[in-house]
Amino acid sequence: MSHAEAEEALIEACYHCGSRVPAGAPWRIRIDDRAHPLCCPGCEAVAHAIVEGGLSSYYRYRTELPERPDEGQLTPSETWAVFDDPELQQTFVHAQGEEGHLAATLSVEGITCAACAWLIEHRLNALEGLEESAVNLSHHRLRVAWDPQRLTLSRILAELAAIGYGAQPYEPDDAQRRLHHEERMNVRRLIVAAVAMMQVMMFSVPIYVSGPGDLSEDFHALFHWLSFALATPVVCFSALPFFRNALRDLRTRLLGMDVPVAIAIGGAYLASAYAMLVGSDEVYFDSVTMFTFFLLFGRYVETRARRRMGQGGNRLSGVLPLSAIRLEADGGERILPANRLSEGDRVLVKPGHGVPADGIIEQGRSSLDESMLTGEYQPVIRGVGEAVTGGSQNIESPLVVRVTHPGHEARVARIVDLTDRAFASRPRIALLAQRAAHHFVLATLLITLGVAALWWLIDPDRALWVTLSVLVVTCPCALALATPTALTAGHGQLRRRGVLMTRADAVEGLSQVTRVIFDKTGTLTQGVMRLVETRPLADMDEASARRLAAALEAHSEHPIARAFRPYREATLRAHQVTSHPGQGLEGEIEGRSYRLGTPAFAGETALPAPGEGQWLLLARDGEPLAWFALHDGLREDAKESVAALRSQGLAVELLSGDNPSAVAELAARVGIDTWRAEAGPEEKLEHLRALQARGETVVMIGDGINDVPVLAGADVSIAMNGATDLARTSADAVLLSPRLLRIAEAITIARATRRIIHQNLIWSVIYNFTALPIAALGIVPPWVAALGMSASSLVVVGNALRLGRMRLESPAPPPATPRVEPV
């Protein structure tokens, strides 16, 4: 080969592994001011890790390329690169926010504990262009959001693979199969450890109870060799996850909780094997098998408990039926996968079947069970023209439904996405506990070295076993689990009661709230506006006035628009319609300018409303044309909900953009003494900030576009079940149930969650600081240390499980003379 050919071949070869570099490949590594080509994101991630770790001399002094493993055992680089394909990404990647960012939910293999979650998030958050990453520990899911201009999905997957975690797009069925496989393997490891532990104890007891000379040297050696044979599969198979995770942690230079455990198990096994070979009596294979069993048992119970606490999310993922009956244009029926439905398809939903997608009923009337979504077990009746939610169960009669939001666009899919988003942020207390657990592992290793050195001087024969006890007993598993287990349980309890938290830190804020502010329309009221009266003011009949108003309201999502829906005419359309939040609508109809809204907004001069309640004024070029009287029924439990909130010591306020008479009337009916009327979005936000400046922690409850600024500015915001998409996106929580009492229950659950987090943290700190000196004094044998560490983790998990079983009592009635606050 000529020199030119050799140089050309060198240029086409991957600088890290020697594979051929695809044409136009963007991956590079810069060493000694020279850019070298790489063949895939995986090699790029590894090469950067080597150089950034200060080991660039590896490339300078290597004499041959690394040996390539069997290609059949590796995931080819194309497997990552293919996930950058736009068509493939349409199935699992969606836009997030208004900045062009993308988000996806991935299923991750190899997650075993809270340390794995910390490692994944810590590594990914260092990538340039990654906006957020959050691990759902209960479901082994990872939500990532990134800027596609600076980062590709293939790089994220390669980075996960580089630290030992395989990932792929989350699919409920596949994810469940992988979880079941992991669970079966954990059970097998537990069984092997349990059987070996019992047998090793059987061989160890005679040695412990026998006196000098009772057992011959041959029996001693035989029992030791049998114990060695039984302990070996425990260490090599049952304890394998501890060693694998510890190696991964050491490789990434991030100390996890498995590092001290792996050192303890491996050290005890090797020391016992050495003692057996040299004929010493310091053989503790029984301790090795016992604390491996106790560790596995504790982790197994903890995993089962966490999975049970998070079952709601998995059930929602699979609530949409797998198949649907689509009605064809020729009148025939075709059964097809539900994920192949498109907007506009007509589907037949038989009694006993699930609704395959969100849609509108075109034929039929039936009762639907929506308990999976709302937490309300009373069926609701739906008829022609009403919306149905995918995942609901049809009970009585067949329905023909026109699909509006299929597959990943369905409300259930959006709820699952919001649930994953809740784990994208961590409460301040969770972040503190997470950092404390990581630093505690490092402190434990340093203290263990000191204990080992001290005992080597005091009693060398006991130094190893005391050191192992310290390593095991102080493993901060309970500290790492204290917050995530309680948050998972709290989220599950809230979800079962129809309150979906979309940001994890909202639970902490909700537990500290001092004031609750309600919007009026669609919040304290049902949001089902009815037009009860029309009063023309000019030379115009009632029907014409209603048609003009309906043409303007056709461009609005506000609950008021629904009152005019029956009066729409396809031939009359409004153009250039502009919404003025809190005031009304403005647009052109047949070349004339119209306004519909508050009297001050619609007319050139503010006219007084013709009666009590809510009135809208229609004006053309400033000339009043007609008054419209609207009525919105009060929610059944509005008064009871206000009383429940006040009984919790909270101030309750009504903040609305409606006229003073309507607001005052409703406030009096529900028992609210502090209210403000005719407040636009700016005034609402200004009032909210004034309250926060006084030290108040405010929760805002609303449903409309005009509530978006104040929802975003509140300490905690809750969007109603019928809220607009923008309001739901801006809120920290979404009320899936139509019952307002769920808000009072949510505050009770949030307070209980915060209380249990504090209890868990206090217990974890007390346990570790108590167990450390006891183990350092040599009082605790290794197997007892393993039992204590497992028990401390189970105490934390068990305490968190109480949230799932808590019963909420009916609220006490409010005091007879409530405190009246000035407006």
Side-chain angles (χ1 to χ4, degrees):
M1 180 184 295
S2 66
H3 178 73
E5 291 175 341
E7 189 170 357
E8 181 180 356
L10 182 62
I11 293 175
E12 294 180 347
C14 174
Y15 189 68
H16 177 72
C17 69
S19 297
R20 183 179 180 84
V21 177
W27 306 291
R28 295 285 187 277
I29 181 68
R30 179 168 290 278
I31 300 176
D32 297 333
D33 296 327
R34 179 180 176 184
H36 301 277
L38 299 168
C39 67
C40 67
C43 285
E44 184 183 40
V46 175
H48 278 285
I50 291 173
V51 174
E52 291 167 6
L55 301 176
S56 56
S57 57
Y58 161 77
Y59 291 110
R60 299 190 187 99
Y61 300 117
R62 65 179 178 180
T63 56
E64 59 182 13
L65 292 171
E67 181 181 353
R68 295 185 58 81
D70 181 7
E71 294 292 337
Q73 301 298 319
L74 289 178
T75 303
S77 60
E78 289 80 2
T79 302
W80 291 320
V82 75
F83 287 113
D84 292 332
D85 181 68
E87 292 186 8
L88 179 61
Q89 288 192 0
Q90 288 180 0
T91 62
F92 66 96
V93 175
H94 58 272
Q96 175 171 294
E98 300 178 357
E99 301 177 359
H101 296 164
L102 301 178
T105 300
L106 307 174
S107 178
V108 183
E109 299 176 355
I111 294 178
T112 58
C113 65
C116 298
W118 184 88
L119 171 61
I120 291 172
E121 293 173 4
H122 183 83
R123 186 64 175 258
L124 292 185
N125 289 338
L127 293 177
E128 182 181 358
L130 193 88
E131 300 303 319
E132 64 182 35
S133 65
V135 174
N136 186 324
L137 192 58
S138 299
H139 305 145
H140 293 193
R141 293 205 301 259
L142 168 66
R143 177 185 166 83
V144 288
W146 69 96
D147 182 356
Q149 302 299 322
R150 295 187 293 161
L151 184 65
T152 62
L153 181 58
S154 60
R155 175 67 191 278
I156 297 174
L157 297 174
E159 194 72 18
L160 285 168
I163 57 176
Y165 297 96
Q168 56 187 305
Y170 175 73
E171 291 291 340
D173 292 340
D174 292 340
Q176 285 299 310
R177 280 194 292 270
R178 283 192 294 273
L179 287 175
H180 288 318
H181 174 71
E182 290 180 16
E183 191 167 330
R184 285 196 301 270
M185 289 301 297
N186 291 337
V187 170
R188 290 170 185 168
R189 290 190 172 98
L190 188 60
I191 291 174
V192 169
V195 172
M197 177 190 70
M198 291 186 291
Q199 295 300 317
V200 172
M201 286 301 299
M202 185 178 67
F203 296 130
S204 301
V205 167
I207 297 176
Y208 291 147
V209 301
S210 62
D214 291 344
L215 283 178
S216 65
E217 292 297 326
D218 292 339
F219 273 108
H220 267 273
L222 176 62
F223 288 159
H224 286 164
W225 277 101
L226 290 173
S227 299
F228 169 74
L230 290 166
T232 299
V234 173
V235 174
C236 297
F237 174 69
S238 297
L240 185 60
F242 300 123
F243 295 115
R244 188 166 51 216
N245 296 340
L247 286 173
R248 181 192 61 219
D249 293 343
L250 293 174
R251 201 164 47 237
T252 55
R253 292 180 293 180
L254 295 170
L255 294 177
M257 287 168 287
D258 285 325
V259 173
V261 170
I263 294 174
I265 294 174
Y269 175 76
L270 294 175
S272 296
Y274 175 78
M276 178 191 67
L277 293 174
V278 300
S280 172
D281 288 333
E282 298 298 323
V283 176
Y284 293 97
F285 291 117
D286 52 342
S287 296
V288 173
T289 56
M290 286 181 74
F291 70 68
T292 300
F293 169 76
F294 287 133
L295 290 169
L296 288 173
F297 180 73
R299 185 163 292 185
Y300 175 76
V301 174
E302 166 214 321
T303 303
R304 293 275 297 187
R306 280 194 286 105
R307 195 162 296 162
R308 196 180 106 196
M309 289 188 287
Q311 279 176 350
N314 283 336
R315 284 201 300 267
L316 274 181
S317 301
V319 73
L320 289 175
L322 297 177
S323 62
I325 303 174
R326 187 173 69 186
L327 300 179
E328 303 295 327
D330 58 4
E333 298 179 359
R334 181 184 175 188
I335 299 177
L336 76 166
N339 58 11
R340 290 177 56 186
L341 291 174
S342 303
E343 182 179 352
D345 285 347
R346 298 169 69 246
V347 295
L348 175 65
V349 184
K350 297 180 178 180
H353 289 198
V355 179
D358 294 357
I360 303 294
I361 298 177
E362 289 193 343
Q363 295 178 27
R365 182 179 178 85
S366 182
S367 297
L368 294 167
D369 179 5
E370 299 180 347
S371 58
M372 180 62 75
L373 299 168
T374 65
E376 305 292 337
Y377 289 91
Q378 186 70 25
V380 294
I381 299 175
R382 296 279 189 265
V384 175
E386 293 186 282
V388 292
T389 304
S392 305
Q393 295 294 313
N394 185 14
I395 297 176
E396 296 172 343
S397 307
L399 298 172
V400 175
V401 177
R402 177 171 50 82
V403 174
T404 57
H405 297 91
H408 292 285
E409 299 177 7
R411 187 183 182 194
V412 169
R414 294 199 300 270
I415 289 173
V416 173
D417 184 63
L418 288 173
T419 303
D420 288 335
R421 193 182 80 177
F423 290 88
S425 58
R426 294 286 192 271
R428 181 177 53 84
I429 194 170
L431 294 174
L432 290 175
Q434 202 173 57
R435 285 194 291 266
H438 172 67
H439 293 306
F440 194 88
V441 172
L442 179 60
T444 297
L445 294 176
L446 294 176
I447 292 172
T448 302
L449 287 175
V451 170
L454 187 62
W455 272 94
W456 186 260
L457 298 175
I458 299 172
D459 188 352
D461 292 337
R462 298 188 59 196
L464 174 63
W465 308 110
V466 173
T467 303
L468 297 179
S469 296
V470 171
L471 277 173
V472 174
V473 81
T474 57
C475 183
C477 291
L479 183 61
L481 289 170
T483 300
T485 51
L487 284 176
T488 302
H491 276 260
Q493 179 68 279
L494 288 166
R495 171 64 194 81
R496 286 191 292 275
R497 293 188 173 273
V499 182
L500 177 67
M501 308 304 292
T502 64
R503 291 179 177 86
D505 53 358
V507 174
E508 186 175 15
L510 199 60
S511 67
Q512 300 172 335
V513 67
T514 60
R515 180 177 292 266
V516 178
I517 299 180
F518 285 99
D519 179 45
K520 173 180 169 288
T521 304
T523 304
L524 288 173
T525 64
Q526 296 175 0
V528 183
M529 307 294 293
R530 291 186 297 111
L531 180 61
V532 295
E533 186 179 355
T534 303
R535 292 189 187 182
L537 297 177
D539 186 15
M540 177 176 291
D541 59 86
E542 294 183 9
S544 298
R546 286 193 288 262
R547 286 196 298 270
L548 289 169
L552 289 170
E553 292 289 356
H555 297 264
S556 174
E557 291 187 18
H558 197 278
I560 289 176
R562 301 171 192 168
F564 293 91
R565 190 174 293 167
Y567 308 104
R568 292 180 187 172
E569 287 189 3
T571 56
L572 187 65
R573 295 187 178 182
H575 303 280
Q576 298 180 4
V577 178
T578 304
S579 174
H580 298 267
Q583 300 182 67
L585 298 171
E586 179 181 10
E588 290 186 3
I589 303 176
E590 297 178 344
R592 303 289 296 273
S593 176
Y594 287 84
R595 282 190 174 191
L596 175 65
T598 62
F601 168 74
E604 292 182 351
T605 58
L607 298 177
E612 296 294 326
Q614 185 171 3
W615 290 83
L616 297 181
L617 178 63
L618 175 67
R620 179 175 56 206
D621 297 327
E623 178 189 358
L625 296 180
W627 284 103
F628 300 101
L630 301 175
H631 176 73
D632 187 7
L634 191 67
R635 289 186 186 266
E636 294 180 358
D637 61 344
K639 186 174 182 179
E640 186 182 0
S641 300
V642 171
L645 292 168
R646 287 193 12 233
S647 71
Q648 293 177 325
L650 302 174
V652 183
E653 185 175 339
L654 176 59
L655 188 60
S656 175
D658 291 342
N659 61 74
S661 61
V663 176
E665 178 192 5
L666 186 137
R669 290 175 62 189
V670 299
I672 296 178
D673 301 293
T674 305
W675 55 268
R676 288 174 180 261
E678 296 182 338
E682 294 81 6
E683 289 81 7
K684 289 182 178 181
L685 186 57
E686 183 180 348
H687 175 62
L688 177 73
R689 287 174 174 165
L691 291 172
Q692 291 171 329
R694 282 165 34 189
E696 298 261 21
T697 302
V698 181
V699 58
M700 178 70 197
I701 304 159
D703 76 320
I705 292 178
N706 59 321
D707 297 322
V708 170
V710 72
L711 286 174
D715 296 284
V716 181
S717 54
I718 301 177
M720 296 299 296
N721 61 317
T724 62
D725 289 340
L726 188 56
R728 281 198 295 264
T729 303
S730 303
D732 300 314
V734 177
L735 194 65
L736 302 177
S737 167
R739 298 187 61 197
L740 279 175
L741 268 174
R742 298 302 191 192
I743 296 172
E745 294 175 352
I747 293 174
T748 301
I749 294 170
R751 289 175 174 177
T753 302
R754 187 166 181 264
R755 186 168 58 250
I756 284 181
I757 288 175
H758 288 165
Q759 291 172 357
N760 284 350
L761 290 174
I762 291 171
W763 159 254
S764 303
V765 172
I766 290 176
Y767 164 76
N768 279 291
F769 279 95
T770 303
L772 178 60
I774 296 176
L777 291 173
I779 300 174
V780 180
W783 68 270
V784 173
L787 184 60
M789 191 272 284
S790 301
S792 69
S793 298
L794 294 179
V795 167
V796 166
V797 174
N799 193 36
L801 281 175
R802 293 194 300 122
L803 284 169
R805 298 189 300 269
M806 69 180 295
R807 297 181 180 274
L808 301 180
E809 300 179 357
S810 299
T817 307
R819 177 171 55 92
V820 179
E821 299 183 6
V823 178

